[in-house]
Amino acid sequence: MADIIEREVKLKLESPTLAELYAKLLNDGMQLIKKETEEDIYFNSEFRDFRKTDEALRIRKTDSGIEFTYKGPKIGKISKSREEITVNVNNADNLIKILERLGFKPVYTVVKNRIFLKDGEFIICLDSVKDLGEFIEIEIPNSTEEKLIEYVNLFLEKYKIKATQIKKSYLELLVSKNEENNSNSN
């Protein structure tokens, strides 16, 4: 796969529910691409702290295969935009062993059930993320932030969605939640 600039807006869904929204979108003629469970294993190392550099290195296991992805620092001012380089691999366990031998350690795993829908050139992902809740991600590859934001605003209005825009990744949200839980238990 080629490297692209991924432009997306992530929304923490308040209402309607994910199931209600999914029914509305299908009823409105949106194209269902697929449904799958994704398990994302994120890595970090002593010699390069991705949390400090705003990068990510992950292995994604899905029903349809395994991907190894590097995500560069966020570059968008409005949306969550960043360089993304992905390759397909056929053995996650061996890739994990290679990374560990090079000093990378798995630090977090994010599990989500994701429904992919298509509306023209836009991809809408309805995500139920373990330990975090329900989210919508709307993305368009290799386009402008302005075009994405315009579509998102129309989408929210059309489907009467109450949601909060989130700039953090699911990984960042999970890390924050765990840190908050740890500080509250002390």
Side-chain angles (χ1 to χ4, degrees):
M1 295 183 179
D3 55 328
I4 60 169
I5 300 298
E6 174 191 59
R7 296 199 189 279
E8 71 179 30
V9 170
K10 183 188 310 279
L11 303 158
K12 173 76 168 121
L13 187 61
E14 297 168 31
S15 69
T17 67
L18 216 51
E20 292 166 337
L21 180 58
Y22 175 57
K24 284 181 187 180
L25 297 177
L26 281 184
N27 190 46
D28 212 24
M30 260 190 217
Q31 176 189 354
L32 173 63
I33 299 171
K34 64 181 172 180
K35 296 179 182 182
E36 68 183 10
T37 299
E38 296 179 352
E39 178 184 351
D40 294 342
I41 304 165
Y42 287 89
F43 292 83
N44 211 351
S45 74
E46 292 178 18
F47 60 88
R48 187 171 182 123
D49 187 345
F50 293 129
R51 191 168 175 186
K52 289 180 182 170
T53 62
D54 193 29
E55 298 168 290
L57 190 64
R58 75 156 188 241
I59 295 173
R60 172 172 285 168
K61 297 188 220 178
T62 68
D63 306 330
S64 54
I66 304 164
E67 296 176 344
F68 183 50
T69 301
Y70 162 80
K71 291 185 173 212
K74 293 178 196 84
I75 55 176
K77 301 218 184 314
I78 304 167
S79 67
K80 197 173 137 264
S81 302
R82 62 194 331 176
E83 178 185 34
E84 185 173 296
I85 304 168
T86 298
V87 295
N88 293 316
V89 296
N90 63 9
N91 189 317
D93 292 336
N94 281 345
L95 181 55
I96 291 169
K97 286 178 188 174
I98 291 169
L99 290 168
E100 287 178 334
R101 300 296 188 282
L102 295 172
F104 292 90
K105 303 288 181 220
V107 289
Y108 275 96
T109 299
V110 177
V111 178
K112 64 183 164 283
N113 291 311
R114 176 170 266 188
I115 300 170
F116 291 86
L117 299 154
K118 189 166 177 63
D119 185 20
E121 53 191 329
F122 294 91
I123 302 294
I124 294 96
C125 295
L126 306 179
D127 294 341
S128 177
V129 184
K130 183 179 177 186
D131 298 326
L132 292 177
E134 296 184 332
F135 296 83
I136 304 166
E137 280 190 8
I138 300 174
E139 65 181 68
I140 184 169
N142 294 324
S143 187
T144 64
E145 280 190 324
E146 293 75 19
K147 186 173 184 178
L148 175 61
I149 296 303
E150 181 181 334
Y151 177 86
V152 168
N153 289 334
L154 292 170
F155 181 85
L156 292 173
E157 186 179 320
K158 179 176 182 178
Y159 295 105
K160 298 178 179 25
I161 296 170
K162 284 188 180 178
T164 305
Q165 185 172 344
I166 305 289
K167 293 253 174 106
K168 291 183 175 183
S169 67
Y170 293 136
L171 172 62
E172 291 168 318
L173 292 171
L174 190 60
V175 168
S176 294
K177 182 178 180 180
N178 286 341
E179 287 175 349
E180 185 179 303
N181 288 343
N182 288 339
S183 69
N184 288 339
S185 65
N186 291 334

